């Protein structure tokens, strides 16, 4: 084969590979359900109204949810008042309990975090509400502060995914 033919064949393969990879990304977000007329979203600060307040939870959760919406949807994030969708919420549960006992002693503890989310669809003048809750296990040898530090990233990621799925996948 001539060198020009090899280059042409490589380009065709690269083009097919690019199309395949691009189509995978489209498929990845196939389950997201956003009406075509919805273009903007405002994510308000998720307050912490739980009896026990982890001061880092609300700002991290709010920021991570904003990032996820911007990176995984076609919606434009704005702080304006005239938005199509407005998302707000609050942490309504932040508690811990013993989850396992071994030999008359605590073996594991459980941290439970619950969030109440409100989606205000200004286009339809409709409000939808969702509750998400997650349990996070940690050894009883850890203090609550140690568990919070080690579970922080997992808590934020898991809760953000659950909130995102409730709003956009409607499951």
């Amino acid at each position: 084969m001539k060198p020009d033919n090899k280059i042409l064949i490589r380009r065709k393969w690269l083009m097919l590979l690019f199309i395949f990879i691009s189509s995978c990304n489209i498929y990845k977000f196939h389950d997201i359900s956003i009406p075509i007329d919805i273009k903007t979203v405002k994510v308000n600060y998720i307050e912490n109204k739980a009896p026990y307040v982890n001061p880092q939870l609300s700002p991290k959760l709010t920021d991570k949810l904003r990032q996820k919406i911007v990176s995984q949807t076609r919606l434009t994030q704005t702080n304006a008042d005239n938005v199509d969708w407005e998302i707000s919420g609050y942490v309504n549960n932040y508690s811990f309990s013993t989850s396992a006992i071994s030999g008359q002693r605590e073996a594991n503890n459980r941290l439970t975090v619950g969030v109440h989310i409100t989606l205000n669809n200004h286009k339809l003048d409709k409000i939808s509400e969702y509750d998400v809750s997650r349990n996070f296990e940690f050894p009883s040898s850890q203090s609550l502060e140690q568990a919070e530090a080690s579970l922080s990233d997992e808590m934020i990621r898991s809760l953000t995914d659950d909130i995102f799925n409730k709003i956009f996948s409607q499951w």
Side-chain angles (χ1 to χ4, degrees), residues 36-71:
I36 194 81
D37 62 333
I38 303 300
K39 308 264 189 251
T40 58
V41 64
K42 178 180 181 181
V43 179
N44 293 317
Y45 183 75
I46 298 171
E47 297 180 55
N48 197 331
K49 295 182 178 181
Y52 177 86
V53 175
N54 175 336
Q56 297 176 7
L57 182 62
S58 288
K60 286 183 177 182
L61 187 58
T62 303
D63 187 51
K64 187 73 169 179
L65 183 60
R66 286 176 179 155
Q67 289 175 13
K68 188 169 182 80
I69 290 170
V70 167
S71 69

Side-chain angles (χ1 to χ4, degrees), residues 31-33 164-171:
D31 291 339
I32 293 176
S33 176
F164 183 87
N165 289 334
K166 286 281 189 181
I167 293 171
F168 294 101
S169 298
Q170 298 173 352
W171 57 269

Side-chain angles (χ1 to χ4, degrees), residues 4 20 25 39-41 51 56 62 64 79 86 98 108 114-115 123 125 128 145 156:
D4 291 347
F20 176 75
N25 284 338
K39 308 264 189 251
T40 58
V41 64
Q56 297 176 7
T62 303
K64 187 73 169 179
N79 288 325
E86 185 173 0
T98 301
N108 277 338
V115 183
K123 290 270 189 180
D125 199 25
S128 302
E145 291 78 21
I156 299 302

Side-chain angles (χ1 to χ4, degrees), residues 2-3 24 26-27 30 49 59 69 73 87 92-93 104 115 121-122 126 129 132 154 158-161:
K2 292 182 180 180
C24 289
I26 291 169
Y27 180 76
H30 186 282
K49 295 182 178 181
I69 290 170
T73 71
I87 299 168
N92 59 2
N93 184 17
Q104 307 278 330
V115 183
N121 183 336
H122 293 290
K126 177 183 173 191
E129 299 189 51
V132 297
E154 180 186 351
S158 298
L159 289 167
T160 301
D161 288 347

